[in-house]
Structures are given as C-alpha cells and as structure tokens.
Amino acid sequence: QVQLVESGGGVVQPGGSLRLSCAASGFTFSSYGMHWVRQAPGKGLEWVAFIRYDGSNKYYADSVKGRFTISRDNSKNTLYLQMNSLRAEDTAVYYCAKERGTYCGGDCSSDYWGQGTLVTVSS
Amino acid sequence: DIQMTQSPSSLSASVGDRVTITCRASQGISNSLAWYQQKPGKAPKLLLYAASRLESGVPSRFSGSGSGTDYTLTISSLQPEDFATYYCQQYYSTPPMYTFGQGTKLEIK
C-alpha cells in the first residue's frame, strides 16, 4: 500500500534552516509529481511547493520562494524540502502529498498524504 | 493567482441531514477541483476529484457538482463520522499551484 512518511521537523530559531524528508513506498515514485503542503496551528491548508516526477520543474508559493527548495531522489524514493531563513510564520505541520495520476505535471489532485511533520520556528 | 472562496466557514447539522458546501473560484477552473475531508490531527483525505468524481472507497453519500467558477460538495445523509473540516482545492493554475479554500468546519448540532 502507498505510504508517505515525513521526517525532519523540529524546533528551530528564526533565521535557521531545516530539511524535511518524505520517504515514499508502495508506488512507482519516479512516475508521480509530489507536493509539500503546510498547515499552521488552527489554520487551513496552504500549498508550499511542487516538483515534477523527474525533478525537471519546480514551483513555489510566493510566501516561500527564494527561501525553500524542493527536490527529490528517485533512486531513494524520497522527497525533500530544504527550508532556509525560517520565520515564525513558517511554523506549521508540513505534509507531503502524491499526485493522483502519473505524469500529471501539477494538474491532478492528491490522493495520498503523509501524516505530517511539525516545524516550530521560535527563539 | 486563482483565489478560492468557500462557504460557509462553519456549519452545524444533525445526523441524517443533507448538507451542501460551496466553493467559488476567482476565475474559471474547468472542473479542476478536489474536495478533501480532514479530521483533527489527521492528514487530509481526498473525497472527490475533477469536481464530481468519487475517489475509490469514499461513500456514495458524498457527491460533487459545478462548472466554471462555482462548485458544491453535498453530503446526502450525514453520518457521525462525517463531522470534520472540508476543503476545496483547485489545480487548474499554470504553472502548477494548489489553492485551497479556507475550509468549512462541520459540527454536530
């Protein structure tokens, strides 16, 4: 069965960095685009970033552009989110999510989500 | 950017009620719309995609409709396990960007 397991969250000071990972299993990882979506405490869902199945294109929300980098290693079935220059407003649960169809390029819904990893930015 | 406006933001209903949640896009999105259910402390769960297609395993009491800019999620007969927060999401934008509605919290009356 499909599994997405995030890791790497924790407490970090403002201005600091953190790298999140999402280990995928149960499907052909290299055939699907992947997203990061976050949810601040008590708030709604916010899309963060998307990477195409082969890593050829990457897209970001304006709120994280220039600070966050999405990447993937298809040989390790793993998705990453490198977060730099962290701010208090980046505090959230971060979810990785899989596109519903193969090679969608972002024009698909997400059918599987990880359980999330909490990032807290605080001094 | 495409904005999604979801209404109502909260809703109280009873078991057995028929409930409708609305999502309006700031421009046409050609049925590129999904609905998710989220329970406290859990990841979102896909209910419907392409505005009206039921995801595998989702009960048939959930249905979706709409076109252009206006879409609805209907639960025909509320069950106790349906009390949760619901989000719409568009995936029409180019370049790819997910935009979610602000959510509708469905509570027990």
Side-chain angles (χ1 to χ4, degrees):
Chain A
Q1 71 282 20
V2 172
Q3 275 200 307
L4 298 170
V5 180
E6 301 96 337
S7 61
V11 180
V12 60
Q13 291 188 337
S17 298
L18 212 55
R19 188 176 85 154
L20 306 183
S21 299
C22 170
S25 60
F27 66 102
T28 305
F29 181 70
S30 59
S31 297
Y32 292 85
M34 297 291 295
H35 295 263
W36 286 101
V37 176
R38 68 184 181 183
Q39 186 170 36
K43 302 298 184 182
L45 300 168
E46 178 188 16
W47 173 79
V48 172
F50 170 75
I51 186 168
R52 291 189 187 271
Y53 63 96
D54 58 358
S56 59
N57 292 92
K58 307 171 185 181
Y59 305 94
Y60 300 92
D62 288 344
S63 58
V64 306
K65 201 172 294 182
R67 300 187 299 122
F68 289 13
T69 301
I70 188 172
S71 62
R72 64 191 298 158
D73 186 336
N74 285 347
S75 68
K76 295 183 178 179
N77 290 348
T78 303
L79 175 72
Y80 301 100
L81 186 67
Q82 177 67 44
M83 304 186 295
N84 298 331
S85 303
L86 282 161
R87 307 166 180 167
E89 54 265 35
D90 296 318
T91 294
V93 173
Y94 285 74
Y95 297 100
C96 62
K98 164 192 168 291
E99 281 198 310
R100 190 181 178 283
T102 54
Y103 312 117
C104 283
D107 58 355
C108 283
S109 54
S110 281
D111 58 351
Y112 286 93
W113 297 59
Q115 84 289 350
T117 187
L118 177 61
V119 172
T120 302
V121 184
S122 174
S123 54
Chain B
D1 295 356
I2 299 176
Q3 308 302 318
M4 304 300 291
T5 303
Q6 202 172 323
S7 61
S9 55
S10 64
L11 177 59
S12 294
S14 301
V15 173
D17 283 355
R18 180 184 181 91
V19 165
T20 298
I21 298 168
T22 298
C23 195
R24 173 167 288 175
S26 58
Q27 65 186 74
I29 57 172
S30 296
N31 290 357
S32 296
L33 185 97
W35 289 98
Y36 298 89
Q37 176 193 68
Q38 188 180 34
K39 295 183 178 179
K42 300 295 186 181
K45 173 187 174 183
L46 178 64
L47 299 176
L48 296 120
Y49 62 98
S52 61
R53 297 189 178 186
L54 201 64
E55 175 68 351
S56 176
V58 174
S60 59
R61 62 181 180 273
F62 292 91
S63 64
S65 64
S67 63
T69 60
D70 295 329
Y71 299 86
T72 59
L73 168 69
T74 299
I75 310 172
S76 60
S77 178
L78 275 173
Q79 298 302 301
E81 61 268 29
D82 299 338
F83 292 95
T85 300
Y86 293 84
Y87 294 92
C88 64
Q89 167 238 313
Q90 69 81 19
Y91 46 93
Y92 178 76
S93 302
T94 300
M97 284 190 69
Y98 275 16
T99 311
F100 292 91
Q102 76 274 24
T104 295
K105 187 173 184 179
L106 179 53
E107 299 175 304
I108 301 173
K109 184 182 287 185

